[in-house]
Amino acid sequence: MFDHISIGVSDRARSTAFYDAALKPLGITRLYDGEHGVGYGTTRAQFWLNPSTSPAPRNPASGCHICFRTDSRGAVQAFHALALNHGGEDDGGPGIRPQYAPGYYAAFVCDPDGYRIEAVTFSAE
């Protein structure tokens, strides 16, 4: 459905370090780094960080978040740990969330600008 998504970040270096680390265990890497932004993906850039002097204000009650799918619980756990070690804030540690769907295993963090980011798998491993 979506071709790509972009978010505005206040500190490109800080956000790039965060996303380089947090997305790596999900198999998502930096594929583009240019004047106008940084792009992440698996085969082409689909998640973009764009420099902004006024990124979306932090609002945990907004209900908005970005979810990345992965193939294993270990990847969800590594995402969460690396995100916290690179400037993220815990917003829900790795675990089963049956209220969302059977086998839904996910972790949530807030990135350095306050965007709510999730990793999810439906794998039993």
Side-chain angles (χ1 to χ4, degrees):
M1 177 191 308
F2 295 103
D3 181 74
H4 66 277
I5 187 167
S6 301
I7 61 172
V9 297
S10 61
D11 183 327
R12 180 179 170 144
R14 178 182 70 177
S15 292
T16 299
F18 171 84
Y19 283 104
D20 282 354
L23 296 179
K24 185 176 182 179
L26 308 180
I28 301 167
T29 58
R30 186 180 346 161
L31 299 176
Y32 177 85
D33 193 339
E35 179 183 348
H36 300 290
V38 177
Y40 292 88
T42 55
T43 59
R44 66 182 184 86
Q46 292 179 276
F47 177 66
W48 290 86
L49 308 179
N50 296 326
S52 175
T53 56
S54 59
R58 181 178 206 150
N59 181 356
S62 74
C64 180
H65 75 278
I66 300 166
C67 182
F68 295 94
R69 192 153 183 188
T70 190
D71 293 331
S72 74
R73 291 182 179 192
V76 171
Q77 293 162 3
F79 156 84
H80 187 260
L82 288 165
L84 297 183
N85 287 336
H86 288 85
E89 293 181 26
D90 179 42
D91 196 37
I96 293 285
R97 290 176 168 76
Q99 69 272 31
Y100 300 147
Y104 197 107
Y105 187 89
F108 296 86
V109 297
C110 291
D111 81 355
D113 282 295
Y115 294 103
R116 191 169 189 231
I117 309 298
E118 175 186 1
V120 66
T121 188
F122 292 89
S123 171
E125 313 181 344

